[in-house]
Amino acid sequence: QVQLVESGGGLVQAGGSLRLSCAASGRTFSYYLIGWFRQAPGKEREFVGAVSSTGHYTYYLDSVKDRFSISRDNAKNTVYLQMNGLKPEDTAVYYCAARYGGASSRRAEDFGSWGQGTQVTVSS
């Protein structure tokens, strides 16, 4: 099992950009599908996007797919979420999560390891 730590959150104006990082421990990081989720106050946790174990395949929530991109560097055990064109409705705590074996999913319950989250706040 991997341990995950997110970083890079903060306060940004609408239209701005942030890059979140998800650093993982463990030698089998390259066996894991890594997903990003977010949770706004009073709302359920929502799938944002994910990257395959090799980094060759990504998929996203429709409302972010033209603004966000996910990449990974398996040599550094790190996954990145680049967020451009941020909107106030993107404000949430962002979590990265890992699913062993790499099968694609958008369901939070399919991901067994989670980070502690990082706050992203977008002001209007």
Side-chain angles (χ1 to χ4, degrees):
Q1 199 165 4
V2 293
Q3 286 75 49
L4 305 173
V5 178
E6 302 94 337
S7 61
L11 174 64
V12 63
Q13 289 188 329
S17 299
L18 281 175
R19 188 177 80 158
L20 306 184
S21 298
C22 173
S25 62
R27 291 178 293 177
T28 60
F29 176 70
S30 61
Y31 295 171
Y32 288 83
L33 172 79
I34 302 296
W36 286 95
F37 294 78
R38 65 187 181 186
Q39 188 166 20
K43 295 188 177 181
E44 293 188 352
R45 191 165 296 191
E46 175 182 53
F47 172 80
V48 174
V51 59
S52 65
S53 57
T54 62
H56 294 157
Y57 177 59
T58 56
Y59 52 103
Y60 302 93
L61 177 69
D62 281 349
S63 62
V64 308
K65 65 182 179 180
D66 295 328
R67 301 183 292 122
F68 292 7
S69 65
I70 299 173
S71 60
R72 69 190 291 163
D73 185 340
N74 283 346
K76 295 182 178 180
N77 278 16
T78 303
V79 171
Y80 304 98
L81 175 64
Q82 178 67 44
M83 304 185 294
N84 300 324
L86 283 161
K87 304 176 180 181
E89 52 263 42
D90 295 318
T91 295
V93 177
Y94 283 70
Y95 300 88
C96 63
R99 184 183 190 196
Y100 185 77
S104 297
S105 174
R106 294 172 182 256
R107 305 191 318 162
E109 56 265 40
D110 288 337
F111 291 76
S113 299
W114 290 80
Q116 83 289 349
T118 186
Q119 177 70 47
V120 171
T121 303
V122 184
S123 62
S124 58

